[in-house]
mmCIF file of all heavy atoms in Angstrom:
data_model
loop_
_atom_site.group_PDB
_atom_site.id
_atom_site.type_symbol
_atom_site.label_atom_id
_atom_site.label_comp_id
_atom_site.label_asym_id
_atom_site.label_seq_id
_atom_site.Cartn_x
_atom_site.Cartn_y
_atom_site.Cartn_z
ATOM 1 N N ALA A 1 -5.891 11.197 3.846
ATOM 2 C CA ALA A 1 -7.178 11.703 3.812
ATOM 3 C C ALA A 1 -7.397 12.941 4.703
ATOM 4 O O ALA A 1 -6.617 12.992 5.698
ATOM 5 C CB ALA A 1 -8.263 10.600 4.139
ATOM 6 N N PRO A 2 -8.438 13.752 4.508
ATOM 7 C CA PRO A 2 -8.571 14.982 5.316
ATOM 8 C C PRO A 2 -8.738 14.564 6.748
ATOM 9 O O PRO A 2 -9.626 13.648 7.015
ATOM 10 C CB PRO A 2 -9.855 15.685 4.740
ATOM 11 C CG PRO A 2 -9.895 15.188 3.324
ATOM 12 C CD PRO A 2 -9.313 13.833 3.266
ATOM 13 N N GLY A 3 -8.081 15.142 7.600
ATOM 14 C CA GLY A 3 -8.158 14.845 9.129
ATOM 15 C C GLY A 3 -7.526 13.555 9.580
ATOM 16 O O GLY A 3 -7.735 13.185 10.705
ATOM 17 N N LYS A 4 -6.884 12.962 8.709
ATOM 18 C CA LYS A 4 -6.208 11.654 9.029
ATOM 19 C C LYS A 4 -4.732 11.720 8.788
ATOM 20 O O LYS A 4 -4.176 12.562 8.098
ATOM 21 C CB LYS A 4 -6.801 10.492 8.225
ATOM 22 C CG LYS A 4 -8.298 10.225 8.492
ATOM 23 C CD LYS A 4 -8.818 8.968 7.854
ATOM 24 C CE LYS A 4 -10.190 8.590 8.246
ATOM 25 N NZ LYS A 4 -10.748 7.437 7.464
ATOM 26 N N GLN A 5 -4.039 10.719 9.418
ATOM 27 C CA GLN A 5 -2.593 10.685 9.313
ATOM 28 C C GLN A 5 -2.313 9.980 8.018
ATOM 29 O O GLN A 5 -3.085 9.201 7.406
ATOM 30 C CB GLN A 5 -1.956 9.817 10.465
ATOM 31 C CG GLN A 5 -1.999 10.500 11.768
ATOM 32 C CD GLN A 5 -1.217 9.808 12.836
ATOM 33 O OE1 GLN A 5 -1.047 8.573 12.789
ATOM 34 N NE2 GLN A 5 -0.660 10.575 13.822
ATOM 35 N N ARG A 6 -1.012 10.275 7.519
ATOM 36 C CA ARG A 6 -0.586 9.635 6.272
ATOM 37 C C ARG A 6 -0.335 8.205 6.585
ATOM 38 O O ARG A 6 0.227 7.833 7.616
ATOM 39 C CB ARG A 6 0.746 10.332 5.806
ATOM 40 C CG ARG A 6 1.149 9.936 4.388
ATOM 41 C CD ARG A 6 2.308 10.803 3.935
ATOM 42 N NE ARG A 6 2.036 12.173 3.765
ATOM 43 C CZ ARG A 6 2.755 13.070 3.253
ATOM 44 N NH1 ARG A 6 3.958 12.710 2.689
ATOM 45 N NH2 ARG A 6 2.443 14.365 3.192
ATOM 46 N N GLU A 7 -0.756 7.337 5.656
ATOM 47 C CA GLU A 7 -0.628 5.924 5.862
ATOM 48 C C GLU A 7 0.064 5.253 4.678
ATOM 49 O O GLU A 7 -0.170 5.739 3.578
ATOM 50 C CB GLU A 7 -2.011 5.289 6.164
ATOM 51 C CG GLU A 7 -2.923 5.394 5.051
ATOM 52 C CD GLU A 7 -4.262 4.562 5.247
ATOM 53 O OE1 GLU A 7 -4.359 3.958 6.313
ATOM 54 O OE2 GLU A 7 -5.152 4.719 4.431
ATOM 55 N N LEU A 8 0.755 4.162 4.878
ATOM 56 C CA LEU A 8 1.365 3.430 3.924
ATOM 57 C C LEU A 8 0.178 2.589 3.237
ATOM 58 O O LEU A 8 -0.560 1.898 3.723
ATOM 59 C CB LEU A 8 2.427 2.484 4.384
ATOM 60 C CG LEU A 8 3.023 1.493 3.377
ATOM 61 C CD1 LEU A 8 3.891 2.271 2.365
ATOM 62 C CD2 LEU A 8 3.916 0.391 4.102
ATOM 63 N N VAL A 9 0.262 2.677 1.837
ATOM 64 C CA VAL A 9 -0.646 1.920 0.986
ATOM 65 C C VAL A 9 0.069 0.605 0.461
ATOM 66 O O VAL A 9 -0.519 -0.483 0.559
ATOM 67 C CB VAL A 9 -1.213 2.730 -0.187
ATOM 68 C CG1 VAL A 9 -2.048 1.962 -1.090
ATOM 69 C CG2 VAL A 9 -1.928 3.981 0.370
ATOM 70 N N ALA A 10 1.290 0.885 -0.119
ATOM 71 C CA ALA A 10 1.965 -0.208 -0.729
ATOM 72 C C ALA A 10 3.437 0.125 -0.886
ATOM 73 O O ALA A 10 3.744 1.321 -0.980
ATOM 74 C CB ALA A 10 1.333 -0.593 -2.046
ATOM 75 N N ALA A 11 4.299 -0.885 -0.895
ATOM 76 C CA ALA A 11 5.722 -0.653 -1.031
ATOM 77 C C ALA A 11 6.302 -1.857 -1.848
ATOM 78 O O ALA A 11 5.766 -2.983 -1.639
ATOM 79 C CB ALA A 11 6.432 -0.415 0.332
ATOM 80 N N ILE A 12 7.351 -1.494 -2.587
ATOM 81 C CA ILE A 12 8.011 -2.535 -3.378
ATOM 82 C C ILE A 12 9.520 -2.354 -3.327
ATOM 83 O O ILE A 12 10.036 -1.280 -3.534
ATOM 84 C CB ILE A 12 7.415 -2.568 -4.794
ATOM 85 C CG1 ILE A 12 8.121 -3.700 -5.625
ATOM 86 C CG2 ILE A 12 7.751 -1.232 -5.460
ATOM 87 C CD1 ILE A 12 7.427 -3.958 -6.940
ATOM 88 N N ILE A 13 10.097 -3.425 -2.949
ATOM 89 C CA ILE A 13 11.652 -3.499 -2.942
ATOM 90 C C ILE A 13 12.078 -3.845 -4.436
ATOM 91 O O ILE A 13 11.285 -4.429 -5.201
ATOM 92 C CB ILE A 13 12.180 -4.508 -1.959
ATOM 93 C CG1 ILE A 13 11.716 -4.092 -0.594
ATOM 94 C CG2 ILE A 13 13.661 -4.573 -2.009
ATOM 95 C CD1 ILE A 13 12.034 -5.135 0.506
ATOM 96 N N SER A 14 13.145 -3.440 -4.777
ATOM 97 C CA SER A 14 13.659 -3.600 -6.195
ATOM 98 C C SER A 14 13.263 -5.011 -6.678
ATOM 99 O O SER A 14 13.782 -5.987 -6.151
ATOM 100 C CB SER A 14 15.135 -3.300 -6.264
ATOM 101 O OG SER A 14 15.568 -3.444 -7.677
ATOM 102 N N GLY A 15 12.481 -5.147 -7.682
ATOM 103 C CA GLY A 15 12.210 -6.300 -8.338
ATOM 104 C C GLY A 15 11.024 -7.217 -7.825
ATOM 105 O O GLY A 15 10.087 -7.502 -8.671
ATOM 106 N N VAL A 16 11.043 -7.546 -6.678
ATOM 107 C CA VAL A 16 10.173 -8.695 -6.278
ATOM 108 C C VAL A 16 9.213 -8.511 -5.146
ATOM 109 O O VAL A 16 8.041 -8.572 -5.379
ATOM 110 C CB VAL A 16 11.035 -9.968 -5.984
ATOM 111 C CG1 VAL A 16 10.163 -11.188 -5.634
ATOM 112 C CG2 VAL A 16 11.976 -10.259 -7.040
ATOM 113 N N SER A 17 9.696 -8.093 -3.994
ATOM 114 C CA SER A 17 8.913 -8.162 -2.788
ATOM 115 C C SER A 17 8.059 -6.871 -2.745
ATOM 116 O O SER A 17 8.476 -5.810 -2.783
ATOM 117 C CB SER A 17 9.810 -8.269 -1.586
ATOM 118 O OG SER A 17 9.034 -8.285 -0.403
ATOM 119 N N ALA A 18 6.765 -7.138 -2.441
ATOM 120 C CA ALA A 18 5.826 -6.022 -2.232
ATOM 121 C C ALA A 18 4.969 -6.360 -1.049
ATOM 122 O O ALA A 18 4.683 -7.474 -0.681
ATOM 123 C CB ALA A 18 4.941 -5.857 -3.421
ATOM 124 N N ASN A 19 4.518 -5.241 -0.371
ATOM 125 C CA ASN A 19 3.612 -5.400 0.720
ATOM 126 C C ASN A 19 2.519 -4.311 0.591
ATOM 127 O O ASN A 19 2.689 -3.241 0.120
ATOM 128 C CB ASN A 19 4.310 -5.274 2.014
ATOM 129 C CG ASN A 19 5.055 -4.045 2.333
ATOM 130 O OD1 ASN A 19 6.208 -3.843 1.845
ATOM 131 N ND2 ASN A 19 4.429 -3.163 3.033
ATOM 132 N N TYR A 20 1.349 -4.683 1.164
ATOM 133 C CA TYR A 20 0.114 -3.787 1.054
ATOM 134 C C TYR A 20 -0.529 -3.540 2.374
ATOM 135 O O TYR A 20 -0.503 -4.462 3.258
ATOM 136 C CB TYR A 20 -0.875 -4.428 0.141
ATOM 137 C CG TYR A 20 -0.318 -4.709 -1.312
ATOM 138 C CD1 TYR A 20 0.333 -5.872 -1.633
ATOM 139 C CD2 TYR A 20 -0.503 -3.685 -2.277
ATOM 140 C CE1 TYR A 20 0.829 -5.998 -2.978
ATOM 141 C CE2 TYR A 20 -0.005 -3.843 -3.524
ATOM 142 C CZ TYR A 20 0.711 -5.015 -3.886
ATOM 143 O OH TYR A 20 1.194 -5.096 -5.199
ATOM 144 N N ALA A 21 -1.174 -2.415 2.522
ATOM 145 C CA ALA A 21 -2.091 -2.252 3.620
ATOM 146 C C ALA A 21 -3.287 -3.250 3.488
ATOM 147 O O ALA A 21 -3.639 -3.545 2.391
ATOM 148 C CB ALA A 21 -2.617 -0.820 3.665
ATOM 149 N N ASP A 22 -3.747 -3.636 4.591
ATOM 150 C CA ASP A 22 -4.896 -4.673 4.555
ATOM 151 C C ASP A 22 -6.036 -4.091 3.786
ATOM 152 O O ASP A 22 -6.791 -4.828 3.128
ATOM 153 C CB ASP A 22 -5.319 -5.086 5.970
ATOM 154 C CG ASP A 22 -4.300 -5.958 6.696
ATOM 155 O OD1 ASP A 22 -3.431 -6.498 5.993
ATOM 156 O OD2 ASP A 22 -4.413 -6.024 7.886
ATOM 157 N N SER A 23 -6.263 -2.862 3.940
ATOM 158 C CA SER A 23 -7.424 -2.251 3.280
ATOM 159 C C SER A 23 -7.485 -2.277 1.807
ATOM 160 O O SER A 23 -8.535 -2.009 1.068
ATOM 161 C CB SER A 23 -7.588 -0.749 3.812
ATOM 162 O OG SER A 23 -6.440 0.000 3.441
ATOM 163 N N VAL A 24 -6.273 -2.461 1.169
ATOM 164 C CA VAL A 24 -6.172 -2.420 -0.398
ATOM 165 C C VAL A 24 -5.770 -3.741 -0.930
ATOM 166 O O VAL A 24 -5.757 -3.859 -2.185
ATOM 167 C CB VAL A 24 -5.174 -1.312 -0.833
ATOM 168 C CG1 VAL A 24 -5.596 -0.024 -0.185
ATOM 169 C CG2 VAL A 24 -3.691 -1.626 -0.478
ATOM 170 N N LYS A 25 -5.454 -4.707 -0.132
ATOM 171 C CA LYS A 25 -5.032 -6.092 -0.619
ATOM 172 C C LYS A 25 -6.034 -6.650 -1.501
ATOM 173 O O LYS A 25 -7.297 -6.606 -1.226
ATOM 174 C CB LYS A 25 -4.774 -7.033 0.596
ATOM 175 C CG LYS A 25 -3.364 -6.775 1.270
ATOM 176 C CD LYS A 25 -3.223 -7.830 2.379
ATOM 177 C CE LYS A 25 -1.896 -7.559 3.081
ATOM 178 N NZ LYS A 25 -1.714 -8.459 4.209
ATOM 179 N N GLY A 26 -5.613 -7.100 -2.635
ATOM 180 C CA GLY A 26 -6.637 -7.712 -3.666
ATOM 181 C C GLY A 26 -7.072 -6.697 -4.601
ATOM 182 O O GLY A 26 -7.815 -7.077 -5.613
ATOM 183 N N ARG A 27 -6.949 -5.410 -4.317
ATOM 184 C CA ARG A 27 -7.483 -4.395 -5.178
ATOM 185 C C ARG A 27 -6.496 -3.464 -5.830
ATOM 186 O O ARG A 27 -6.566 -3.013 -7.042
ATOM 187 C CB ARG A 27 -8.471 -3.455 -4.415
ATOM 188 C CG ARG A 27 -9.590 -4.100 -3.722
ATOM 189 C CD ARG A 27 -10.588 -3.118 -3.153
ATOM 190 N NE ARG A 27 -9.985 -2.345 -2.057
ATOM 191 C CZ ARG A 27 -9.957 -0.993 -2.025
ATOM 192 N NH1 ARG A 27 -10.413 -0.289 -3.079
ATOM 193 N NH2 ARG A 27 -9.458 -0.361 -1.041
ATOM 194 N N PHE A 28 -5.349 -3.273 -5.110
ATOM 195 C CA PHE A 28 -4.302 -2.402 -5.624
ATOM 196 C C PHE A 28 -3.107 -3.293 -5.886
ATOM 197 O O PHE A 28 -2.800 -4.281 -5.210
ATOM 198 C CB PHE A 28 -3.889 -1.370 -4.518
ATOM 199 C CG PHE A 28 -4.936 -0.286 -4.215
ATOM 200 C CD1 PHE A 28 -6.184 -0.375 -4.805
ATOM 201 C CD2 PHE A 28 -4.509 0.788 -3.507
ATOM 202 C CE1 PHE A 28 -7.069 0.536 -4.546
ATOM 203 C CE2 PHE A 28 -5.442 1.775 -3.246
ATOM 204 C CZ PHE A 28 -6.708 1.700 -3.711
ATOM 205 N N THR A 29 -2.299 -2.818 -6.900
ATOM 206 C CA THR A 29 -1.076 -3.542 -7.238
ATOM 207 C C THR A 29 0.002 -2.549 -7.466
ATOM 208 O O THR A 29 -0.137 -1.579 -8.301
ATOM 209 C CB THR A 29 -1.167 -4.343 -8.499
ATOM 210 O OG1 THR A 29 -2.208 -5.353 -8.361
ATOM 211 C CG2 THR A 29 0.056 -5.173 -8.833
ATOM 212 N N ILE A 30 1.156 -2.683 -6.839
ATOM 213 C CA ILE A 30 2.325 -1.809 -6.911
ATOM 214 C C ILE A 30 3.244 -2.518 -7.894
ATOM 215 O O ILE A 30 3.445 -3.707 -7.849
ATOM 216 C CB ILE A 30 2.915 -1.424 -5.638
ATOM 217 C CG1 ILE A 30 4.011 -0.381 -5.847
ATOM 218 C CG2 ILE A 30 3.521 -2.617 -4.858
ATOM 219 C CD1 ILE A 30 4.507 0.251 -4.598
ATOM 220 N N SER A 31 3.937 -1.720 -8.714
ATOM 221 C CA SER A 31 4.908 -2.224 -9.633
ATOM 222 C C SER A 31 5.993 -1.206 -9.888
ATOM 223 O O SER A 31 5.824 -0.080 -9.589
ATOM 224 C CB SER A 31 4.300 -2.817 -10.912
ATOM 225 O OG SER A 31 3.651 -1.749 -11.648
#
């Protein structure tokens, strides 16, 4: 965002494991 540092939103390892920033959990889905 303007004036802010780049932050991780979500990441997914091949196939299964995904992790999310607390601010987007339950709202965003990575695939």
Side-chain angles (χ1 to χ4, degrees):
K4 295 188 177 181
Q5 290 189 332
R6 191 173 297 190
E7 63 174 356
L8 176 67
V9 175
I12 184 167
I13 301 172
S14 183
V16 181
S17 178
N19 59 281
Y20 298 89
D22 288 343
S23 58
V24 307
K25 282 181 181 177
R27 300 188 298 123
F28 290 11
T29 303
I30 189 171
S31 61

